[in-house]
Amino acid sequence: ILAVSSLSSIRSKTWSPYDMIMISLSSSRIILQCWIILDLFLTIFCEPSYFEKNLFTVIKTVYMFLNYSSLWFGAWLSVFYCIKVASFTQSFFIWMKQRIARLVPWMLLTSWLYSFAAAIPFAWDFDGGHDNFTAPLPMTNSSAMRTTRKDSLGLLILLCNAGVALPLILSVVSSVLLIRSLWVHTRQMQNNASGFRDPSLEAHTKASKSVCSLLILYVSYFIAFIFLLCNFFLHFSIAKSICIAVMAVCPTGHTMVLIWSNPKFRELPARIWHNTKCHVR
């Protein structure tokens, strides 16, 4: 997806809104997967140095930033699909259709900034586990300051987590509106069908299945992310392992659905596979 979208932008010498969203989404997920692999590598082979204050803080903060970014870009993709494909006559949708090309860069920039701001409190939280975050004070004052700081930081992290619900709301609402619009069009085509195979009807049915699949994968990823974020399960428990597996599988499944539903993305893997078979022969 990243290669096709980048080549398309370079060849056309313009950055279409769709390509900008796909480049942002695919690049954030590639970096996230690489960061997870690095995290596992350090955990297995460099365990003593892994839990040092500075390294542990950087790894977890960057991990949260990439997760937030991925959620936001996935939500904006759903919003973009809804605005471009759904055929609503309300003035707001007409206004959005006319201005979506100019709004997308600002939407993506806002997502990066919000993700960065939401990840910063986690750096403070990991740093807060050490003893050097306040000046030397009498024991009672120092303990009170630690308690107050911990409560304030917990509230800030809670607000950041609540803010993560915004991309979920955007994605669910956009997907539901798009599915409803496609379903209405599909019913109209079925009523007007002449009995022959209608390519437009098949395209609408395929689009509806793709949107439903993307929504299910997005919601599953979000739920698993929140469970891990809030530490609902014990370490090394089966439930926590399932959440980790869901977070690993859902982005891959999301990417496969995007490739399957877009002929432009299917063309490059098919071409590579064809060339590979030719070279083998």
Side-chain angles (χ1 to χ4, degrees):
I1 292 176
L2 179 61
V4 172
S5 300
S6 300
L7 288 173
S8 176
S9 299
I10 293 171
R11 287 172 181 172
S12 62
K13 297 181 180 180
T14 57
W15 292 82
S16 68
Y18 181 73
D19 285 337
M20 283 192 285
I21 294 174
M22 296 308 297
I23 289 172
S24 300
L25 178 61
S26 57
S27 60
S28 66
R29 285 185 173 170
I30 290 172
I31 298 172
L32 176 61
Q33 294 298 327
C34 294
W35 200 258
I36 291 173
I37 294 172
L38 176 63
D39 185 26
L40 291 174
F41 179 84
L42 292 174
T43 303
I44 296 172
F45 297 104
C46 306
E47 186 175 357
S49 59
Y50 175 78
F51 290 101
E52 291 181 1
K53 181 181 68 173
N54 294 333
L55 181 61
F56 188 72
T57 299
V58 169
I59 288 176
K60 296 306 178 184
T61 304
V62 173
Y63 173 77
M64 298 306 301
F65 167 74
L66 294 172
N67 261 306
Y68 285 146
S69 301
S70 179
L71 288 170
W72 271 108
F73 296 146
W76 290 133
L77 180 63
S78 300
V79 172
F80 182 81
Y81 279 154
C82 179
I83 293 172
K84 297 297 287 187
V85 178
S87 56
F88 294 105
T89 57
Q90 284 81 0
S91 57
F92 175 74
F93 278 93
I94 296 174
W95 182 86
M96 287 294 292
K97 279 180 180 288
Q98 296 172 347
R99 292 167 174 80
I100 187 65
R102 285 177 287 175
L103 291 175
V104 165
W106 294 105
M107 290 156 56
L108 297 176
L109 178 61
T110 303
S111 301
W112 281 110
L113 294 176
Y114 179 87
S115 301
F116 179 75
I120 289 177
F122 292 92
W124 295 338
D125 181 48
F126 292 125
D127 188 56
H130 302 270
D131 293 329
N132 59 350
F133 62 86
T134 54
L137 290 172
M139 183 60 67
T140 54
N141 293 340
S142 179
S143 300
M145 184 173 290
R146 283 189 175 90
T147 303
T148 304
R149 185 181 184 276
K150 187 175 181 180
D151 293 341
S152 301
L153 186 59
L155 178 61
L156 185 59
I157 292 177
L158 181 63
L159 291 174
C160 292
N161 294 342
V164 179
L166 290 175
L168 177 67
I169 294 171
L170 286 172
S171 182
V172 170
V173 172
S174 301
S175 299
V176 170
L177 290 174
L178 180 55
I179 291 170
R180 180 181 178 276
S181 177
L182 291 171
W183 182 77
V184 170
H185 274 276
T186 303
R187 291 294 299 271
Q188 291 176 350
M189 290 180 180
Q190 288 175 342
N191 294 333
N192 298 329
S194 58
F196 296 99
R197 188 174 179 180
D198 188 354
S200 299
L201 180 59
E202 291 184 359
H204 276 70
T205 304
K206 185 177 179 180
S208 301
K209 292 179 180 179
S210 299
V211 174
C212 290
S213 302
L214 292 173
L215 179 61
I216 292 171
L217 290 168
Y218 186 90
V219 173
S220 301
Y221 180 89
F222 184 89
I223 293 173
F225 176 61
I226 292 299
F227 281 167
L228 291 178
L229 193 62
C230 298
N231 290 321
F232 283 156
F233 308 116
L234 297 175
H235 289 290
F236 305 112
S237 64
I238 296 177
K240 187 167 185 176
S241 300
I242 292 174
C243 288
I244 294 173
V246 168
M247 287 190 66
V249 170
C250 283
T252 304
H254 196 274
T255 302
M256 296 303 295
V257 172
L258 290 175
I259 294 173
W260 171 75
S261 60
N262 193 324
K264 184 174 72 172
F265 295 143
R266 293 200 305 267
E267 181 182 351
L268 183 59
R271 194 186 309 161
I272 294 173
W273 174 251
H274 177 73
N275 293 334
T276 303
K277 289 177 66 178
C278 292
H279 285 305
V280 169
R281 289 175 184 174

